[in-house]
Amino acid sequence: MKLYNYFRSSASFRVRIALELKGLAYDYVPVHLVKGEHKQPQYAAMSPSLLVPALQLDTGEHLGQSMAIIEYLDETHPQPPLLPRDPLARARVRALAQLIACEIHPLNNLRVLKYLVRDLKVEEEAKNAWYRHWVRDGLEAFERELAQLPAGTYCFGDTPTLADCCLVPQIFNGRRFDVDFDGLPRTMAAFDACMALPAFQRAQPSSCPDAEG
Amino acid sequence: MKLYNYFRSSASFRVRIALELKGLAYDYVPVHLVKGEHKQPQYAAMSPSLLVPALQLDTGEHLGQSMAIIEYLDETHPQPPLLPRDPLARARVRALAQLIACEIHPLNNLRVLKYLVRDLKVEEEAKNAWYRHWVRDGLEAFERELAQLPAGTYCFGDTPTLADCCLVPQIFNGRRFDVDFDGLPRTMAAFDACMALPAFQRAQPSSCPDAEG
């Protein structure tokens, strides 16, 4: 398999974690978002939505959207599972993942920040406040959801799931913008537990071949 | 089952479509977002993330996040299926759904539009341009993804899927803001095919008990 991705992309990071947790080997193909490499014809032919990551299977097929890719990996390489077996538990894990992937991250990705600055003439400090607002607001909601679940090492239970694959990159992104993580005990305990695992360490931006300072 | 939702909420509309496609009876409980009813303590106890929709099961459990709810319904009430059986096909449907639920809709929901106006002092016309930009940009990406798939009546194949549950509410929302839908032939053909079905008709905002003009 080949993963077309960018070291700093949160959605790319999610898929790298899943690949590492499952022990699946892959070729890392860097796509430099800031240089606009995702908009070049060669990449567009593979990912018409011009988004990273894209996973190229050994059959030549391409898959997009990080959560869809992770569920595909989980269905085709079931061990270790990234979703529980019980439908209600699966719904809880998916809801946690979507709370990050549908409520927090979309507001803060590169193209949105660019629109704020270029089209809405938002100043640097107001842009950063926007960023921090949505991360903090979203993580507070995440924490309240976790508080209603049984205690566990990770977001849901005692093994990492799709929810952890989404949480960890969001915390990394939040750190870059100095988000305040105080008062989020369950969330940050899950993050710390994840980062103690080699799979998460190997997937992190600073471990990527295209990492920049 | 009880569905806590709002007639105009796109995420609520997705779940109503799934319930109707599966022929599942449910009680409709309106939660008025504009009046802030989702922030009241009674609702917060059920949905700590303060989002609609929330599905209350007959066991008393609550589920949040529309795509997670729909997958739960599909796993517990498999007929008619809203996802194909083949893992690659499932990934394609999920990616289409996420292209809407993670790339378009999050930028245009009520709390984001409020932040633009209240915190960033964005004028009405610039706010509407923001709205149209993300819907149009996202639907063009959606159309390019559809163009790479085999022809079908709906977004993926000849039966409605999770992708259609997400597409149709997004088109309704776009219409409210006069988005230009020209040049999106596959997307709009899937929309029209969906709206010819009674399930989509019954789920639409104007059919809801809390509908306003």
Side-chain angles (χ1 to χ4, degrees), chain A residues 45 47-51 57 61-65 67-68 71-72 75-76 87-88 90-92 94-95 98-99 101-103 106-107 109 111-112 115-116 120 122 126 129-130 133-134 141 144-145 148, chain B residues 45 47-51 57 61-65 67-68 71-72 75-76 87-88 90-92 94-95 98-99 101-103 106-107 109 111-112 115-116 120 122 126 129-130 133-134 141 144-145 148:
Chain A
S47 173
S49 49
L50 309 180
L51 297 168
L57 305 179
E61 301 267 10
H62 298 100
L63 298 182
Q65 287 294 328
M67 290 191 298
E71 292 234 22
Y72 171 83
E75 291 176 357
T76 53
L88 187 61
R90 292 164 75 80
R92 299 258 179 260
R94 288 190 178 119
Q98 291 165 21
L99 199 45
C102 303
E103 312 290 344
L107 295 164
N109 65 30
R111 69 180 191 283
V112 174
Y115 190 101
L116 289 177
L120 297 181
V122 169
W130 156 283
H133 172 79
W134 296 116
R144 292 194 301 271
E145 293 285 350
Q148 291 206 338
Chain B
S47 172
S49 48
L50 310 180
L51 297 168
L57 305 179
E61 302 267 12
H62 297 101
L63 298 181
Q65 286 295 327
M67 290 191 298
E71 293 234 22
Y72 172 84
E75 292 177 356
T76 53
L88 188 61
R90 293 164 74 79
R92 299 257 178 262
R94 287 189 178 119
Q98 290 166 22
L99 200 44
C102 303
E103 312 290 344
L107 295 164
N109 65 30
R111 69 181 191 283
V112 173
Y115 190 102
L116 288 178
L120 297 180
V122 169
W130 158 281
H133 172 79
W134 296 116
R144 292 194 301 271
E145 294 285 351
Q148 291 206 338

Side-chain angles (χ1 to χ4, degrees), chain A residues 74-122:
Chain A
D74 206 43
E75 291 176 357
T76 53
H77 301 83
Q79 295 305 323
L82 298 179
L83 284 170
R85 292 188 67 132
D86 169 63
L88 187 61
R90 292 164 75 80
R92 299 258 179 260
V93 169
R94 288 190 178 119
L96 290 172
Q98 291 165 21
L99 199 45
I100 289 167
C102 303
E103 312 290 344
I104 303 178
H105 178 249
L107 295 164
N108 292 341
N109 65 30
L110 191 60
R111 69 180 191 283
V112 174
L113 300 181
K114 276 187 176 174
Y115 190 101
L116 289 177
V117 171
R118 191 191 51 209
D119 296 85
L120 297 181
K121 312 297 178 204
V122 169

Side-chain angles (χ1 to χ4, degrees), chain B residues 89-176:
Chain B
R90 293 164 74 79
R92 299 257 178 262
V93 170
R94 287 189 178 119
L96 290 172
Q98 290 166 22
L99 200 44
I100 290 167
C102 303
E103 312 290 344
I104 304 177
H105 178 247
L107 295 164
N108 292 340
N109 65 30
L110 191 60
R111 69 181 191 283
V112 173
L113 301 180
K114 276 188 175 174
Y115 190 102
L116 288 178
V117 171
R118 190 192 51 208
D119 295 84
L120 297 180
K121 313 294 179 204
V122 169
E123 302 282 343
E124 181 74 7
E125 186 41 40
K127 183 194 81 175
N128 293 344
W130 158 281
Y131 194 106
R132 287 191 292 264
H133 172 79
W134 296 116
V135 178
R136 178 73 203 183
D137 191 64
L139 289 179
E140 285 177 0
F142 193 86
E143 179 72 21
R144 292 194 301 271
E145 294 285 351
L146 287 187
Q148 291 206 338
L149 298 174
T153 307
Y154 301 99
C155 287
F156 189 93
D158 292 322
T159 55
T161 63
L162 173 64
D164 301 287
C165 294
C166 291
L167 173 64
V168 166
Q170 188 58 64
I171 300 293
F172 269 72
N173 267 4
R175 281 183 171 170
R176 289 184 56 224

